[in-house]
Amino acid sequence: MNTQAAPGQGFKYYDFLLGGMVAVLLCSNLIGPGKVCTVTLPYFGEFAFGAGNLFFPIGYIFGDVLTEVYGYARARRAIWAGFGAMLFATLMAAIVVGMTPSPNEPWNATLQPALEVVFGNTWRIVCASMLAYWAGDFVNSYVMARMKVMTGGRHLWMRTIGSTFCGQGVDSLIFYPLAFYGVWTNDALLAVIGFNFVFKLGVEVAMTPLTYFVVNRLKKAEGVDTFDTNTDFTPFSLRDEGVNKR
C-alpha cells in the first residue's frame, strides 16, 4: 500500500539521523579545515589533505541513508537544517571573535589569538564552504533519488557511490577554487582537489557494507521505503513529497 506521511510523522529514527548529519557537518567545518595534514602512501608518495575530510564524507553517508529510506523531500529538510546550523555557527563565531576581550582576565591573552586563528576564517572561505555544502548535498540527494527510481530500488551500492561521485565532485570543484584560488599555486590546488575527491569517494566505498546494514535495518524498523516518483526536486522547498512504499 502506498501512503503519504508528514515529515518525520511516525518515524522512530528520522530525527536522530537529521541530528547526526548536522553534528558531523558542524564538526567537520568548524574543527577540521584549519589543519592540513600529510600522509605518505606506498608507491605514490606524500599527499596533503584537510583534516576535516576524515569525517566530512560521513555527512554524505547520512544523506544517502536519509534519501534512500525517507526520500528526497525529507533529506532536503535535513540539508536545510544543516545549512541553517552552519549559518548560525558562522555568525556566532564572528560575533564571539569580534567582541573585545576583558583585560582583567589573563586567560584571554592566550584564548583570543587562538579563537582568531581557529574561528576567524575569512568570509571567502566561509561562503565557499557553505555554497559547496549546499550544492554538493543537493546534487548527492538528487542523484540518489533519481537513480533509485531508475533502478527500481536495486543496486544500492551503485546509487551510493554514484551519488557521492557527483556530490563530492561538485563540492570539491566549488569549495577549493572559490576559497583558495590565487592563494595556493594552481598545482597545489589541483593536487588537493584530486586527492580529497578520491579520498572522500574511497570512504564511501569502504563504508558501503555498513550503509547496506543501516538502510536495511531502518527500512524494517520504520516500515517505509520511499520512491520519489512524483517529487518536485527544487531545493527551495520544505514540503514533504514522495511515495512511501510500505
Side-chain angles (χ1 to χ4, degrees):
M1 178 178 66
N2 292 334
T3 62
Q4 287 287 94
Q9 179 179 346
F11 295 142
K12 300 176 182 177
Y13 303 106
Y14 173 82
D15 292 341
F16 291 103
L17 290 169
L18 186 153
M21 179 176 173
V22 172
V24 170
L25 173 68
L26 286 177
C27 291
S28 298
N29 280 275
L30 292 178
I31 301 173
K35 184 174 183 178
V36 177
C37 304
T38 59
V39 61
T40 302
L41 301 177
Y43 308 108
F44 293 99
E46 186 176 275
F47 292 91
F49 64 97
N53 290 316
L54 289 172
F55 302 99
F56 183 75
I58 299 175
Y60 272 72
I61 296 173
F62 273 103
D64 289 344
V65 172
L66 282 165
T67 305
E68 173 67 21
V69 178
Y70 303 101
Y72 174 88
R74 296 177 189 119
R76 177 172 57 196
R77 297 174 68 87
I79 294 171
W80 277 113
F83 186 84
M86 283 185 63
L87 180 60
F88 174 77
T90 299
L91 292 174
M92 179 177 174
I95 292 172
V96 171
V97 171
M99 294 179 69
T100 302
S102 171
N104 298 322
E105 175 51 61
W107 175 239
N108 281 336
T110 300
L111 181 62
Q112 180 64 23
L115 289 175
E116 292 174 357
V117 170
V118 176
F119 296 109
N121 290 327
T122 66
W123 282 104
R124 178 180 175 181
I125 295 177
V126 169
C127 291
S129 177
M130 295 185 68
L131 178 60
Y133 156 74
W134 184 86
D137 263 44
F138 271 116
V139 168
N140 179 77
S141 187
Y142 173 81
V143 172
M144 184 83 177
R146 296 293 291 174
M147 288 184 68
K148 182 174 183 179
V149 174
M150 292 172 59
T151 61
R154 300 183 299 274
H155 311 306
L156 175 59
W157 65 271
M158 184 186 300
R159 301 198 299 279
T160 58
I161 296 174
S163 63
T164 299
F165 180 91
C166 296
Q168 293 283 14
V170 168
D171 184 285
S172 297
L173 289 175
I174 290 176
F175 174 69
Y176 290 104
L178 287 182
F180 300 111
Y181 180 75
V183 179
W184 297 351
T185 66
N186 290 341
D187 288 343
L189 187 63
L190 291 174
V192 171
I193 291 174
F195 178 78
N196 286 344
F197 172 72
V198 172
F199 180 83
K200 293 173 184 177
L201 192 61
V203 171
E204 180 69 50
V205 173
M207 297 291 284
T208 295
L210 179 60
T211 303
Y212 263 87
F213 174 78
V214 172
V215 164
N216 290 333
R217 291 295 296 270
L218 278 174
K219 286 180 179 179
K220 291 180 181 178
E222 303 283 31
V224 65
D225 187 9
T226 304
F227 285 77
D228 290 287
T229 53
N230 298 307
T231 301
D232 181 358
F233 285 97
T234 176
F236 302 106
S237 174
L238 294 177
R239 290 182 57 194
D240 180 30
E241 301 171 278
V243 177
N244 301 331
K245 185 177 181 183
R246 294 183 183 269

